[in-house]
Amino acid sequence: MRNHILTSAIALAAALSTPAFARPMTEIDLATLKRVAAPTASPDGRWVVFQMTETEPKTYKRSTGLWLIDRGAQGAAPVRVADTADKNETAPAFHPDGSLYFISNASGKSQVWRADPLVAAAAAVQVTDTAADVSGFKLSPDGKRLLAWGDVPRECIAFGCDAKDKGALPGPGSGRLYKDGAGFVRHWDSWENPGTYSRPFVFNLEGGKASTPRAVDGGLIGDSPSKPFGGGEELAWGADSRTVFFTLRQADKDEPTSTNLDIYSWLVDSRMMPQNLTADNKATDTLPAPSADGKWLAYAAMARPGYEADRQVLMLRDLSTGKTRKLTDAWDRSVGSIAWAADGKSLYVTAQDVLDHPVFRVDVKTGKVTKLKATAETHEGTIGDVTPLPGGALLYSRNTVAVPTDLFVRDAKGKVMRLTDVNRAQLAEIDPVDAKRFSFKGANGDTVWGQIIKPADTKGKVPVAFLVHGGPQGSFGNSWSTRWNPRLFSAPGYAAVTVDFHGSTGYGQAFTDSIKQDWGGKPLEDLKLGLAAAGVQDSNVDTANACALGGSYGGYMMNWIAGNWPDGFKCLVTHAGVFDLRAMAFETEELWFDEFDHGGPWWQRAEGEKWNPVNHVTKWKTPTLVIHGEKDFRIPYSQSLAVFHALQRQGVEGELLIFPDENHWILKGQNSIQWYQTVFGWMSKHLKK
């Protein structure tokens, strides 16, 4: 076997001019590091505002505020703006007049507020006063209108009302009644309330105040933005400040089996119904991005209905003729975000590419795709929040597997300036790490990539934390995670090893598709070969002294490994993992996910039991820690109860950690601490240091 390796030493402490070694990173560090998000720039590009979440280290209470940077002042440090004590400010956006709009819960509800960001003592003024909470908003290009959205009953004319139709709660008892054809009964982490949807409304702005709103969705019934993860990227103002483009998922009996999102346009001052611009495509259409000259609408589209991990191709629609063409059909990558260049001649998109998530420029005329050339800080790692600035500069966020998110600006010539370094002091206290990427020949002889993250001072053999990503169409990649964090897994003196097995994203659509109806086949082969390759590439990696850990599909793989690679590991950690594919097929909420990957409804599957972990429980012997959240409706927590019972009944060592207030993910600060402490305790018990 021929192996290839690329090494990138993350000498973080040296870069920060601190002592070479301080102390290992802890789960408290991960929970309390500051979190940067949602950068926005003033119309002239000089001022940048972003939101930052801070966590109190004793109570783990989180609060989010807004911070301002002056790009015109060399070495300027961020300063807090529009701050209300004990309240949260999020989602900043500059008005064309230079004022700052944002969402705050200062009134007791989430509403839109505004303030002058350049006047320190200026009081914020409430813009909206609606019955329902505002989830997000966008200002029209001329600044005269406000597009806002939130969960609003369908019968409400205004932005919220005391609806007469209580959906699934007919009374007189507490029971929910879902009628035939109800669609989703529960979704992600909440029970559905039929009749209430995520709905967009348009307000006129008069004297900085929002007037009576008008619903955008007309007679459409569904969620815009889509649930559970859709946001502002699914809605946009047209250049004329009269047209609204929005993505909507129709709510009907087919919703649990459909991935059909459509893009609609609606004229604010007309009585016409919204127009479906993508009705012919029964797969996902999303990310509407109109050009500044009003001529074009760029968006992303999938081709295959029922497949949430299909390739997203960049599309371009002529708004005057309706003619549409595929700009990136010949490019085997999936577009993750879209932004027009200031000159309108190209678009900036992000897309996963091997282990990174860089920025690419797409030429409007030819569709030619070019990765931006510059230093590592322009394309290595994970890039997001790409915002073109006047003069050809780009504002963006960036993180890597070794460092959390900060903000950067790349000028038109490719020179990069770092805008923020919000965790500098805390990171300076923590030991540096080395991050390596390596490749090897996996299943079918295909090239498969992985990473090794370990303390920079590692000497001799060290135990392995073998991390298996979820999805399964995903990647551990060169990115920072606030949940499954490879750098933190290496801190106790382990080598954290990841492998992007067949089915992972960033390697072309055929590689992603290859996991279909093969959950336990090629991926397991890749993991076996990848762990062995890591041991060959790095003499510190002790492959015989390893614990494997995974969540979601990674949790499935732990349950599969327990019966199909029972001698591979000293211990396992399975978080929110699928144990019985038959039960999963009938219990999960988004049925398209399970049915596409496994060949339709359970009764139509030719080999439904082939990759089912429950069929191999009698071979289990590896000590296993089982974790789940009770509010997980994607993979119901009963799957993990079954794993624990299977361990107990067979006398295999196991522990069960259940979080009653968490969903598929562990999000609360204290719960994250408990999660890591339990996992690290389990690993320490079974791995020889």
Side-chain angles (χ1 to χ4, degrees):
M1 181 186 349
R2 182 182 178 187
N3 296 293
H4 305 274
I5 187 164
L6 296 174
T7 304
S8 176
I10 312 297
L12 184 61
L16 297 175
S17 300
T18 60
F21 302 103
R23 61 170 177 80
M25 182 180 177
T26 69
E27 61 275 9
I28 296 174
D29 291 315
L30 182 63
T32 58
L33 284 167
K34 300 178 180 67
R35 302 180 183 184
V36 169
T40 187
S42 59
D44 62 3
R46 175 175 175 177
W47 305 93
V48 172
V49 173
F50 62 95
Q51 71 180 48
M52 185 164 68
T53 300
E54 299 175 274
T55 303
E56 208 283 323
K58 293 183 179 180
T59 65
Y60 302 106
K61 179 181 178 181
R62 291 188 172 127
S63 61
T64 303
L66 304 180
W67 295 75
L68 174 76
I69 308 172
D70 181 4
R71 288 186 57 220
Q74 187 173 3
V79 295
R80 191 186 292 270
V81 294
D83 182 43
T84 301
D86 299 321
K87 300 297 180 181
N88 293 315
E89 293 81 33
T90 62
F94 276 96
H95 190 276
D97 67 8
S99 60
L100 185 70
Y101 282 60
F102 54 93
I103 292 177
S104 173
N105 62 349
S107 65
K109 293 187 296 185
S110 292
Q111 297 292 311
V112 179
W113 291 64
R114 63 180 172 87
D116 186 339
L118 305 184
V119 179
V125 177
Q126 188 170 339
V127 175
T128 61
D129 187 9
T130 59
D133 285 337
V134 175
S135 299
F137 72 95
K138 289 201 170 183
L139 295 162
S140 63
D142 64 6
K144 296 179 180 180
R145 292 186 172 108
L146 176 78
L147 172 66
W149 56 91
D151 287 350
V152 178
R154 187 70 191 84
E155 67 183 75
C156 297
I157 299 175
F159 200 102
C161 67
D162 185 12
K164 296 179 181 180
D165 182 3
K166 301 302 180 182
L169 303 173
S174 61
R176 302 184 186 96
L177 177 63
Y178 294 93
K179 298 180 180 180
D180 185 39
F184 280 125
V185 172
R186 58 183 188 175
H187 198 193
W188 188 244
D189 60 4
S190 61
W191 288 89
E192 288 291 287
N193 183 16
T196 296
Y197 306 99
S198 178
R199 299 180 60 200
F201 288 74
V202 166
F203 301 75
N204 288 329
L205 290 175
E206 300 170 357
K209 292 282 189 176
S211 65
T212 303
R214 185 179 176 189
V216 171
D217 50 11
L220 300 172
I221 298 176
D223 290 301
S224 181
S226 62
K227 291 185 175 181
F229 306 125
E233 73 283 355
E234 294 187 350
L235 302 97
W237 279 103
D240 59 3
S241 295
R242 295 178 58 222
T243 307
V244 173
F245 298 96
F246 64 97
T247 305
L248 181 134
R249 177 190 294 283
Q250 185 172 335
D252 56 22
K253 64 181 179 60
D254 297 323
E255 191 175 12
T257 59
S258 171
T259 58
N260 186 22
L261 276 69
D262 281 313
I263 297 173
Y264 294 79
S265 66
W266 180 70
L267 284 175
V268 172
D269 47 8
S270 77
R271 296 186 178 183
M272 297 176 62
M273 283 283 293
Q275 178 187 4
N276 189 343
L277 303 181
T278 60
D280 291 340
N281 184 24
K282 303 306 179 183
T284 293
D285 300 284
T286 189
L287 308 180
S291 61
D293 61 9
K295 294 181 179 180
W296 307 97
L297 176 70
Y299 64 97
M302 296 183 184
R304 286 174 285 181
Y307 187 24
E308 65 175 355
D310 199 13
R311 181 169 61 113
Q312 290 197 151
V313 174
L314 180 63
M315 310 290 290
L316 195 64
R317 180 187 179 94
D318 186 325
L319 290 172
S320 62
T321 67
K323 184 178 180 180
T324 301
R325 61 189 175 100
K326 300 177 180 179
L327 276 184
T328 61
D329 196 34
W331 184 44
D332 198 8
R333 292 294 182 266
S334 187
V335 170
S337 67
I338 305 170
W340 282 89
D343 62 9
K345 296 180 180 180
S346 60
L347 297 118
Y348 294 108
V349 303
T350 58
Q352 193 171 347
D353 186 39
V354 187
L355 295 168
D356 296 310
H357 201 276
V359 184
F360 300 84
R361 180 186 288 109
V362 182
D363 184 78
V364 169
K365 286 186 178 181
T366 66
K368 181 181 178 182
V369 180
T370 306
K371 183 187 289 188
L372 294 192
K373 293 181 179 179
T375 65
E377 289 185 337
T378 34
H379 57 265
E380 288 185 2
T382 296
I383 306 297
D385 305 299
V386 177
T387 305
L389 303 176
L394 285 181
L395 167 69
Y396 59 90
S397 62
R398 174 181 176 265
N399 62 66
T400 72
V401 73
V403 292
T405 300
D406 270 303
L407 301 182
F408 299 80
V409 168
R410 175 189 187 273
D411 69 19
K413 296 181 179 180
K415 182 180 179 181
V416 174
M417 179 180 72
R418 186 183 188 124
L419 286 186
T420 65
D421 198 356
V422 300
N423 290 298
R424 179 185 180 93
Q426 192 168 349
L427 290 174
E429 301 173 357
I430 301 171
D431 291 343
V433 294
D434 286 339
K436 301 177 180 179
R437 57 180 67 188
F438 65 98
S439 68
F440 60 94
K441 295 300 181 183
N444 295 337
D446 297 332
T447 299
V448 178
W449 286 87
Q451 296 179 109
I452 303 169
I453 301 93
K454 62 183 182 180
D457 64 339
T458 300
K459 296 180 178 63
K461 293 284 188 180
V462 294
V464 175
F466 193 44
L467 306 178
V468 180
H469 70 70
Q473 294 89 358
S475 168
F476 251 117
N478 188 10
S479 64
W480 184 262
S481 173
T482 57
R483 294 181 292 111
W484 287 74
N485 187 285
R487 177 172 181 172
L488 178 54
F489 273 106
S490 74
Y494 302 140
V497 177
T498 72
V499 169
D500 274 2
F501 47 82
H502 277 77
S504 299
T505 52
Y507 307 91
Q509 195 59 43
F511 192 87
T512 300
D513 293 346
S514 66
I515 198 172
K516 182 179 180 180
Q517 298 183 54
D518 194 30
W519 268 30
K522 291 187 291 294
L524 180 60
E525 185 178 350
D526 289 341
L527 292 172
K528 289 181 176 181
L529 293 170
L531 183 60
V536 172
Q537 297 291 350
D538 191 323
S539 61
N540 296 137
V541 176
D542 187 356
T543 59
N545 187 24
C547 183
L549 313 90
S552 195
Y553 171 83
Y556 160 88
M557 182 51 71
M558 297 304 105
N559 299 332
W560 185 249
I561 283 173
N564 292 276
W565 192 8
D567 297 314
F569 300 95
K570 303 293 186 183
C571 63
L572 300 173
V573 178
T574 175
H575 174 106
V578 177
F579 168 68
D580 184 355
L581 284 173
R582 180 175 182 174
M584 174 71 176
F586 290 99
E587 293 175 355
T588 191
E589 21 82 283
E590 291 188 349
L591 297 175
W592 68 76
F593 155 71
D594 180 78
E595 292 184 4
F596 187 93
D597 272 21
H598 299 296
W602 180 262
W603 53 89
Q604 293 180 3
R605 300 177 189 179
E607 297 181 303
E609 297 288 359
K610 183 176 182 180
W611 307 117
N612 198 349
V614 71
N615 296 325
H616 301 273
V617 292
T618 57
K619 292 178 281 185
W620 286 13
K621 60 182 180 181
T622 310
T624 302
L625 170 63
V626 188
I627 311 176
H628 220 123
E630 284 188 30
K631 296 174 69 177
D632 185 357
F633 299 153
R634 182 61 45 85
I635 300 177
Y637 74 89
S638 55
Q639 294 274 315
S640 285
L641 289 179
V643 173
F644 184 63
H645 291 155
L647 292 165
Q648 295 289 289
R649 291 291 289 125
Q650 297 184 99
V652 179
E653 183 183 359
E655 292 183 2
L656 175 67
L657 176 62
I658 291 288
F659 291 93
D661 54 345
E662 297 283 12
N663 55 34
H664 198 54
W665 300 332
I666 306 304
L667 301 176
K668 295 179 173 63
Q670 286 182 318
N671 290 344
S672 176
I673 300 296
Q674 184 181 8
W675 191 96
Y676 269 105
Q677 288 179 346
T678 304
V679 169
F680 283 157
W682 184 254
M683 295 173 69
S684 178
K685 178 180 180 181
H686 294 283
L687 297 179
K688 297 178 181 179
K689 297 295 286 290

